[in-house]
Amino acid sequence: RYGKKQQHKPQPDQEPAIQDRIYREAYKTVMKVEKIAELIQRKSPLDTQEPWDNSGFQIKFEGSEIRTVLVAMEITDEIIDEAEILKADMIVTHHPMIFNPIKNIYDNTVTGNHIVRLIKDDINVYSSHTPFDKCSGGNGDYLAGLLRLKNVRRMETDSLGFCREGMADSPRRAGEYISCICQWLDLDIRSLAFSGDLDDMIYKVGLCTGAGAEFAENAKESGCDLFITGDVKHHQAQEAREMGINILDIGHYGSEKIFTADMASYLRDNTDLTVIRSTVDLDPFVLL
């Protein structure tokens, strides 16, 4: 099968520096791909995913040995290029590469080309999507930490477990608080959208990473002064305004780019593998 990789032994006539690199590559810590999946599921169990989700293995070479893991938001051609350069055996993503059943694979389609390339390169792919949004220490908690929220907890009015709520580190007017958020999350204020009153004082904040505007009413019921999420549609912003809750759209990517740091840190803390955060900017939108 494709997944068998050969360990190279240096030849006598090779330069010492090259020999050293090959030895280090050959004897790096190894972990079975199934064990890495078990480790990820210990933090973000698959049985917590939403019915429409497809977390878990997207591509798996049974029993393959993993030395280098690349952590990325999702699979793109650039991410595969990066994995090839790094000689990664596995990519761990937030967004699944495959959401719906596939009847055929053509290399002239976006997903089909990704699948073909990954299989040719013997690269395993595992995704932790909605389980990582919900889990303790996952996207929601990590974002709350970056926002310096105090007394963070799951939003009681959100039965699905996606949302978090907490108190602002100090009360600020909404406009000032948004400026702080841009600094804390390294976001350009031009990429944000706000609906509400910029002069409102912000004490309690609710949040949902990804596309969570549907939970604005839950945030209102929970007493939040501001709800932070991504992908807010026009009518959702209008509804939030009518309900009397400020809503801040920091973008889907802006709210979930934290995944790479969070997941990479978790894998490094629990394995001796080489774990690398992707450096590819996957925000599909540009500022005009």
Side-chain angles (χ1 to χ4, degrees), residues 12-279:
D13 60 344
Q14 289 179 313
E15 294 293 331
I18 298 176
Q19 291 186 31
D20 179 63
R21 179 179 62 80
I22 295 175
Y23 272 128
R24 283 187 286 108
E25 186 72 23
Y27 294 104
K28 279 193 298 187
T29 300
V30 172
M31 192 172 183
K32 294 290 187 182
V33 69
E34 292 84 2
K35 291 297 182 181
I36 299 176
E38 289 175 11
L39 178 63
I40 295 172
Q41 290 168 30
R42 194 182 306 163
K43 180 181 177 78
S44 52
L46 277 180
D47 60 7
T48 64
Q49 71 176 309
E50 291 297 294
W52 48 265
D53 196 9
N54 186 40
S55 289
F57 278 110
Q58 310 290 293
I59 294 177
K60 177 187 176 185
F61 295 107
E62 191 79 21
S64 57
E65 296 181 337
I66 307 301
R67 292 175 173 79
T68 301
V69 178
L70 175 64
V71 182
M73 268 288 291
E74 58 204 15
I75 297 295
T76 66
D77 274 332
E78 286 181 289
I79 293 296
I80 300 174
D81 290 341
E82 188 178 33
E84 290 173 344
I85 292 170
L86 297 169
K87 300 188 183 305
D89 311 287
M90 183 176 189
I91 303 175
V92 176
T93 71
H94 184 45
H95 294 150
M97 178 175 61
I98 303 169
F99 265 111
N100 301 308
I102 295 178
K103 294 183 178 180
N104 44 52
I105 298 174
Y106 297 138
D107 67 357
N108 62 350
T109 66
V110 172
T111 301
N113 178 59
H114 293 164
I115 293 171
V116 170
R117 288 191 64 191
L118 289 161
I119 291 176
K120 283 183 176 180
D121 288 333
D122 307 333
I123 299 175
N124 297 269
V125 179
Y126 185 97
S127 301
S128 184
H129 189 211
T130 53
F132 207 82
D133 288 325
K134 301 178 183 181
C135 72
S136 177
N139 279 345
D141 290 326
Y142 198 89
L143 180 59
L146 292 178
L147 293 172
R148 306 182 185 183
L149 299 183
K150 300 176 180 177
N151 303 319
V152 177
R153 63 178 183 178
R154 292 183 181 230
M155 191 180 290
E156 294 182 354
T157 54
D158 167 27
S159 60
L160 295 178
F162 283 108
C163 300
R164 298 293 187 270
E165 62 182 20
M167 304 303 295
D169 63 331
S170 63
R172 295 180 177 88
R173 296 192 183 279
E176 181 187 355
Y177 192 57
I178 291 170
S179 296
C180 291
I181 289 172
C182 289
Q183 294 177 19
W184 296 335
L185 303 184
D186 190 24
L187 298 173
D188 191 310
I189 198 166
R190 293 174 297 169
S191 68
L192 276 54
F194 175 77
S195 175
D197 188 341
L198 289 171
D199 288 326
D200 275 358
M201 292 299 294
I202 305 301
Y203 300 94
K204 188 175 184 180
V205 178
L207 64 88
C208 178
T209 59
E214 64 192 88
F215 299 110
E217 185 173 357
N218 301 89
K220 173 65 176 178
E221 292 174 358
S222 193
C224 295
D225 304 298
L226 174 68
F227 184 59
I228 301 171
T229 189
D231 290 350
V232 179
K233 297 179 180 179
H234 173 87
H235 73 273
Q236 293 172 323
Q238 286 284 26
E239 288 177 359
R241 187 176 181 181
E242 290 292 312
M243 286 188 290
I245 183 170
N246 298 295
I247 189 167
L248 178 65
D249 184 344
I250 62 175
H252 199 111
Y253 178 75
S255 71
E256 290 192 334
K257 64 178 183 176
I258 55 176
F259 169 82
T260 56
D262 195 0
M263 177 62 83
S265 177
Y266 175 70
L267 292 176
R268 288 180 188 135
D269 289 345
N270 290 277
T271 74
D272 292 320
L273 299 171
T274 299
V275 179
I276 303 171
R277 287 177 57 189
S278 172
T279 59

